[in-house]
Amino acid sequence: MPVIYLIRHGQASFGAENYDALSDAGWEQSRVLGRHLREQNLGAPRVVCGAMQRHRETAQATLEALGLPQEWATDTGFNEYDHQTLMRVHWPESQDRAVLTRWMNEQDNPRRAFQARFEEALRRWQRNEDDYQETWPAFRERVLASLYSLANRLESGDSALVFTSGGAISVAIQHLLELDQEALITFNRGLINTSVTRLLVNTGRLRLATLNEHLHLAGDMLTYR
């Protein structure tokens, strides 16, 4: 039975000017994942990658550690939603780096406080309270379209590695478990960098086999952003 491995990108550069680049920890997480996947008997997997920098860099490091060519098909359907637009609409002041830095310095737990603000922005997006270039339904539709298109191209014994983001993976989980839209936030909060979510394919139909696998990580290597 074909298997799709949905891989969340390694740790991005939270707080840096270019969030989309992997941090040093993100590069190492990706290499550790590649060494772990050597034990999975993947054969010659199809490799699909979202178009974002953190997707490409995760794929690069993972495939290098796997001993596979650093080659993949790019599918923008696996790109993350535009979190910057969501925050700009919901919390315009956060676009001023000095203001944001001062606000974070005032928080007892800056990451937790920022996460709470971010989840408010996500809910506002899901409720379609404002004009967004990509709506929540459109985001879900494009992710699932790319996922099922890939599934329909796989044959018996095939495997596919998909390097993507937490939002896209959460959409797949929500859809397959038939959960409400709050599930995006619940799962997006808990998906670990370079975790693996496995889907089994049966004549184009998908079944969730495992969720958020991260046994290859331990200690400081276990991160969520």
Side-chain angles (χ1 to χ4, degrees):
M1 189 176 293
V3 182
I4 297 175
Y5 296 78
L6 297 178
I7 299 169
R8 189 179 181 218
H9 60 79
Q11 185 189 58
S13 298
F14 182 82
E17 186 171 347
N18 181 15
Y19 168 80
D20 204 21
L22 290 189
S23 67
D24 290 344
W27 281 99
E28 182 59 21
Q29 288 167 335
S30 304
R31 288 188 285 265
V32 170
L33 173 62
R35 294 192 289 269
H36 172 73
L37 289 175
R38 288 179 191 170
E39 305 168 6
Q40 305 299 309
N41 193 25
L42 298 176
R46 295 176 183 239
V47 182
V48 181
C49 190
M52 309 182 97
Q53 182 178 347
R54 56 190 184 273
H55 301 158
R56 297 193 304 269
E57 292 180 346
T58 302
Q60 177 185 339
T62 301
L63 294 174
E64 183 178 16
L66 254 172
L68 294 176
Q70 296 173 48
E71 301 171 354
W72 52 78
T74 299
D75 187 339
T76 58
F78 290 111
N79 281 2
E80 187 62 290
Y81 50 78
D82 184 354
H83 72 279
Q84 292 178 325
T85 295
L86 267 60
M87 290 300 287
R88 184 165 59 247
V89 170
H90 176 66
W91 187 19
E93 298 86 350
S94 68
Q95 304 308 298
D96 185 321
R97 180 169 292 275
V99 171
L100 180 60
T101 299
R102 185 166 60 252
W103 178 86
M104 294 189 72
N105 288 338
E106 293 170 352
Q107 308 305 310
D108 293 334
N109 188 323
R111 285 179 177 265
R112 182 174 297 174
F114 184 86
Q115 181 66 23
R117 283 285 188 116
F118 180 61
E119 290 181 3
E120 290 172 8
L122 280 172
R123 292 186 180 95
R124 184 169 175 171
W125 176 51
Q126 290 177 322
R127 293 192 301 266
N128 199 31
E129 293 183 3
D130 302 279
D131 290 330
Y132 298 94
Q133 185 172 0
E134 181 177 49
T135 64
W136 158 244
F139 171 65
R140 289 188 75 252
E141 183 177 342
R142 73 159 164 87
V143 171
L144 294 176
S146 289
L147 185 59
Y148 278 95
S149 176
L150 172 61
N152 287 325
R153 296 195 304 272
L154 298 178
E155 299 179 354
S156 179
D158 284 349
S159 62
L161 305 179
V162 178
F163 294 89
T164 181
S165 288
I169 297 170
S170 297
V171 161
I173 296 166
Q174 179 208 17
H175 169 72
L176 294 174
L177 296 182
E178 299 181 349
L179 302 172
D180 63 27
Q181 63 186 25
E182 183 70 16
L184 172 83
I185 295 172
T186 301
F187 288 110
N188 206 23
R189 185 189 304 134
L191 288 174
I192 291 168
N193 293 119
T194 69
S195 65
V196 179
T197 294
R198 287 190 294 156
L199 309 180
L200 303 181
V201 184
N202 186 1
T203 60
R205 304 174 81 175
L206 295 171
R207 178 161 61 87
L208 184 65
T210 65
L211 168 63
N212 203 23
E213 295 179 44
H214 55 275
L215 292 178
H216 55 289
L217 301 173
D220 292 342
M221 294 292 290
L222 208 147
T223 63
Y224 296 85
R225 291 289 172 270

